[in-house]
Amino acid sequence: MDFTTIDYLKDGNPRQKSAYQALQRRKIFDILKPFDPLLVGTIPIAIDIESSDLDIICCYTDLDYFIRIVTENFKQELNFNHKLSLQNGKKIALFRFQLDGFEVELYAQDTPTLQQNAYRHMLIEARLLNEHGENFRQEIIRLKQKGYKTEPAFAHLLGITGDPYEVLLRME
């Protein structure tokens, strides 16, 4: 599956199709194109639950420009908010807003999107879902419905100990 575009969502499950329509209607990926956006998380790999959001990662070279573009284009959206923080010494911009029944989360750092951990985790999880089959997928969803975050759910089912975020990256 090519996760570098959102085209695969058009032929996906009903929630993926709905996500595709919402993203296309607001031209989110067109607006964010200068920042190499990628949709990551649970919706692309069909392990989402009702509360799952649309996670879009971006890469900025000029943080102020990124903030300006996102604010100008999405400030009118319901529950629009943002924060800046430091993670591992890197400046992170996080925006949230509602869009056609989805919570959207834009996450930006100065690391290329194909190298960001969220994308890498998703690729590893997609591979594990393919390797372990539909019962495994359903168990991940069940754990998520019980409150597990995605990476800890995978670690739990696979019997992995330690930091699930780091352990999954070592499975790359």
Side-chain angles (χ1 to χ4, degrees):
M1 174 95 49
D2 179 9
F3 292 112
T4 61
T5 74
I6 60 169
D7 292 340
Y8 64 92
L9 295 173
K10 288 188 286 191
D11 301 316
N13 65 36
R15 180 110 182 212
Q16 289 171 328
K17 289 176 183 177
S18 180
Y20 178 80
Q21 292 167 357
L23 294 168
Q24 288 295 92
R25 193 170 13 265
R26 274 299 274 121
K27 300 187 182 328
I28 290 182
F29 278 76
D30 293 335
I31 293 165
L32 297 175
K33 187 173 179 144
F35 311 106
D36 297 323
L38 291 174
L39 181 65
V40 298
T42 59
I43 291 174
I45 57 176
I47 56 169
D48 54 296
I49 59 175
E50 195 165 312
S51 60
S52 295
D53 55 10
L54 292 171
D55 295 311
I56 301 170
I57 58 172
C58 297
C59 175
Y60 67 80
T61 54
D62 179 338
L63 179 57
D64 292 332
Y65 178 64
F66 176 78
I67 291 169
R68 182 167 54 84
I69 294 299
V70 172
T71 302
E72 286 174 2
N73 285 280
F74 304 112
K75 68 183 174 192
Q76 76 285 355
E77 300 300 340
L78 187 63
N79 298 328
F80 178 85
N81 67 76
H82 77 279
K83 70 176 184 175
L84 300 176
S85 63
L86 281 177
Q87 287 183 357
N88 301 321
K90 291 182 173 268
K91 288 182 183 178
I92 304 299
L94 181 65
F95 288 81
R96 289 191 174 107
F97 53 90
Q98 297 289 319
L99 182 71
D100 293 350
F102 289 96
E103 181 173 340
V104 176
E105 184 175 284
L106 303 179
Y107 176 93
Q109 61 179 292
D110 64 354
T111 301
T113 52
L114 293 175
Q115 296 173 21
Q116 290 185 30
N117 286 350
Y119 182 70
R120 295 168 59 205
H121 281 152
M122 184 182 71
L123 292 181
I124 295 161
E125 291 158 2
R127 187 188 77 226
L128 290 168
L129 290 167
N130 285 334
E131 289 172 2
H132 292 277
E134 186 58 28
N135 288 338
F136 184 82
R137 175 186 307 279
Q138 292 304 319
E139 282 299 305
I140 292 290
I141 292 169
R142 188 182 62 75
L143 288 173
K144 290 183 61 53
Q145 289 169 332
K146 284 185 163 185
Y148 277 74
K149 293 288 193 182
T150 303
E151 287 77 1
F154 274 86
H156 177 78
L157 280 184
L158 295 170
I160 296 170
T161 58
D163 180 340
Y165 300 90
E166 291 300 318
V167 172
L168 279 178
L169 287 178
R170 288 195 298 263
M171 299 175 86
E172 210 163 17

